[in-house]
Amino acid sequence: MKAVRGAILHFLHDPADVDNTNGQVSDCYEYFEDGLMIIKDGHVDRVGSAADLLPTLPALLSIEEYTDSLIVPGFIDTHIHYPQTEMIASYGEQLLEWLETYTFPTEKQFHNPEYAGEIAEFFLNQLLSNGTTTALVFGSVHPESVDAFFTRAEAKNLRMICGKVLMDRHAAEDLTDTPDTGFDDSKTLIEKWHNRGRLLYAVTPRFAPTCTPAQLDKAGELLRLQPDLYMHTHLSENQNEVAWVKDLFPESENYLDAYDQFGLLTKRSVFAHGIHLCDHEFQRLHDTQSAIAFCPTSNLFLGSGLFNLKKAEAFNVKVGLGTDVGAGTSFSILQTLNEAYKTQQLRGEKLTPLKSFYLATLGSARALDLEDKIGNFESGKEADFVVLDLKSTPLIAMRMKHCKDLAETLFVLSMLGDDRSVKATYIMGEKAHERHG
């Protein structure tokens, strides 16, 4: 048993749901200005005010104290590509050209397990240094890429979800599989890694244009064989992509239907982007409890468009937050919230600081169907959390002096914060990263 003391914030409900029921905004979260979290065997035992909990503790219990800081649940990234780490910030293309010019050549290297392992180690350390404790991750088409990723994630005791890319057309021969080899390789990886410790597997068709109907059907077969698997792919990111899907799947009612007809919509299905969706697609996502990964940084970088968060809320569709590295230009969830706010401003809408931090934590946990394990500090949850430094830069320290309330503090963090604002990251109650200097 151990304890951590400092200002503590976690969410209990979606702020948008509270607004819709005319509740008080404070009903969606708990905030303890001088808080204490008691951790037992890597899980949250209790959280509350220090004044209430300190008298209940054994006299010699170890307490880690953080001043000028805010302790929040670990950030959750619902869409990111680890094989694209080295090609982040590649210039000048929109989605389809960007894939051909930068992505596919880079991913060819991941047949080499040693190379894949080196990138996986760097990638996971980047996540931790940015306060991200769980992620839904694309591998490459090579099974070696997934083995390397899970091996490194297991060594760090991280809750990670990953899968081998399924791609049997419209790419170079050394980046494609077949419906049968994709099925067999995925099945082998599932048997080896799914539900092993904190690791989970995602069936991962890259996107409809690079998958034949036969391969999408095989992906659906994997999900039918083991319903607790994830399904992770892309959806309606770019207008040219949407038009291409219409040509390739003329029998489909819309882009989403190209997946739906093969049984790929489940409560553990996560579709990255979803920028150009019709009302029927939003309704179908709601009906199947599928989720959207909102990736504002990459949407702006590739010029793809502005996600309609308000419409997703209106249809009660689960939404998580994704950095989408390498089209996304930062591993930082704080920087991703910065861009998310701006996309909604461009739509003439507001993204509140409370909603932002909900999306980064409990909202993304719900999108991943993991709210029973992570996302807030309810008793029994896994003790993954991040300590944010409220004086991490001179500018942030100066700006914080003028913050009138919690919402303004969160907004400053999301506008000015980055990896420098992450003082420490804890995994199952153990410190996995600490910033020095």
Side-chain angles (χ1 to χ4, degrees):
M1 183 181 286
K2 63 178 65 175
V4 178
R5 183 176 183 177
I8 297 175
L9 169 71
H10 71 135
F11 286 84
L12 306 175
H13 306 288
D14 184 343
D17 291 343
V18 172
D19 289 344
N20 292 336
T21 59
N22 297 316
Q24 297 294 316
V25 68
S26 58
D27 294 340
C28 72
Y29 67 87
E30 287 185 326
Y31 174 63
F32 306 99
E33 187 172 1
D34 181 15
L36 193 72
M37 179 165 50
I38 303 168
I39 300 163
K40 186 175 182 180
D41 298 328
H43 293 75
V44 177
D45 183 65
R46 286 171 288 164
V47 66
S49 71
D52 292 339
L53 294 181
L54 283 172
T56 71
L57 298 182
L60 299 179
L61 184 70
S62 171
I63 299 177
E64 186 91 28
E65 296 195 19
Y66 287 102
T67 58
D68 299 318
S69 301
L70 179 65
I71 300 167
V72 298
F75 295 139
I76 300 168
D77 191 333
T78 61
H79 179 65
I80 187 169
H81 298 251
Y82 104 81
Q84 295 177 17
T85 301
E86 280 188 298
M87 51 158 288
I88 194 170
S90 294
Y91 172 76
E93 305 291 352
Q94 293 202 343
L95 174 65
L96 300 179
E97 298 78 14
W98 179 83
L99 287 170
E100 290 289 344
T101 305
Y102 301 115
T103 304
F104 292 162
T106 300
E107 291 192 3
K108 289 180 181 181
Q109 303 170 87
F110 282 79
H111 69 90
N112 181 332
E114 290 187 7
Y115 172 83
E118 290 174 5
I119 300 300
E121 182 71 17
F122 180 86
F123 172 90
L124 291 168
N125 287 336
Q126 285 293 300
L127 291 182
L128 288 171
S129 67
N130 282 280
T132 299
T133 55
T134 291
L136 176 57
V137 182
F138 257 67
S140 73
V141 74
H142 314 97
E144 296 88 349
S145 72
V146 179
D147 277 327
F149 178 82
F150 277 141
T151 298
R152 298 320 190 276
E154 183 179 49
K156 298 177 186 296
N157 198 26
L158 299 174
R159 182 162 287 288
M160 289 285 154
I161 312 166
C162 187
K164 183 199 100 68
V165 165
L166 302 173
M167 182 162 61
D168 68 338
R169 63 174 172 179
H170 298 137
E173 185 176 346
D174 51 356
L175 273 177
T176 56
D177 52 14
T178 70
D180 287 335
T181 61
F183 178 91
D184 292 341
D185 287 344
S186 297
K187 195 168 185 298
T188 299
L189 290 166
I190 289 164
E191 291 169 354
K192 181 176 181 181
W193 293 110
H194 187 55
N195 287 320
R196 176 166 154 176
R198 304 183 76 203
L199 306 175
L200 298 159
Y201 193 88
V203 177
T204 309
R206 179 169 221 114
F207 67 154
T210 58
C211 296
T212 61
Q215 187 166 64
L216 293 177
D217 186 56
K218 282 290 191 180
E221 185 178 343
L222 286 167
L223 297 178
R224 290 188 291 274
L225 286 172
Q226 194 155 341
D228 70 335
L229 292 169
Y230 287 82
M231 200 291 302
H232 184 199
T233 192
H234 299 85
L235 172 69
S236 293
E237 180 177 1
N238 169 283
Q239 293 280 22
N240 291 336
E241 168 209 9
V242 174
W244 194 15
V245 171
K246 187 174 182 180
D247 290 340
L248 292 171
F249 295 86
E251 71 286 356
S252 297
E253 293 182 23
N254 48 55
Y255 193 155
L256 184 66
D257 191 48
Y259 298 123
D260 200 1
Q261 62 185 305
F262 298 104
L264 301 186
L265 276 67
T266 76
K267 72 173 184 176
R268 285 195 160 186
S269 294
V270 179
F271 295 91
H273 308 298
I275 299 171
H276 309 288
L277 299 178
C278 65
D279 287 0
H280 178 75
E281 288 171 297
F282 274 110
Q283 185 62 51
R284 188 67 186 137
L285 289 167
H286 165 77
D287 292 343
T288 57
Q289 301 180 65
S290 300
I292 295 174
F294 173 23
C295 305
T297 310
S298 68
N299 297 160
L300 292 172
F301 180 75
L302 294 176
S304 299
L306 306 173
F307 177 62
N308 193 336
L309 180 59
K310 294 300 181 186
K311 181 164 280 192
E313 289 177 349
F315 280 89
N316 196 23
V317 173
K318 296 186 296 184
V319 176
L321 197 69
T323 61
D324 195 22
V325 167
T329 52
S330 176
F331 282 84
S332 172
I333 290 291
L334 294 174
Q335 284 292 289
T336 304
L337 292 176
N338 177 315
E339 303 284 26
Y341 174 80
K342 294 170 185 174
T343 64
Q344 300 313 293
Q345 281 282 74
L346 287 168
R347 293 190 57 84
E349 295 161 355
K350 299 294 186 186
L351 175 59
T352 70
L354 291 171
K355 178 72 175 193
S356 287
F357 274 78
Y358 166 81
L359 286 173
T361 55
L362 184 60
S364 286
R366 288 176 171 171
L368 297 181
D369 192 38
L370 286 173
E371 67 270 28
D372 62 326
K373 294 181 173 62
I374 57 175
N376 64 15
F377 295 138
E378 290 178 333
S379 179
K381 297 286 183 77
E382 296 166 355
D384 292 351
F385 58 95
V386 57
V387 182
L388 299 175
D389 186 350
L390 301 182
K391 294 184 175 180
S392 56
T393 69
L395 180 61
I396 289 175
M398 182 190 73
R399 182 62 182 84
M400 286 294 176
K401 292 178 182 178
H402 303 284
C403 288
K404 298 181 294 293
D405 53 27
L406 174 65
E408 191 171 3
T409 297
L410 296 178
F411 188 65
V412 171
L413 281 171
S414 65
M415 290 299 104
L416 303 180
D418 53 28
D419 61 315
R420 293 170 295 175
S421 298
V422 176
K423 183 176 290 187
T425 305
Y426 284 75
I427 299 298
M428 296 290 284
E430 299 295 330
K431 192 181 297 181
H433 165 79
E434 185 172 24
R435 180 173 177 261
H436 298 283

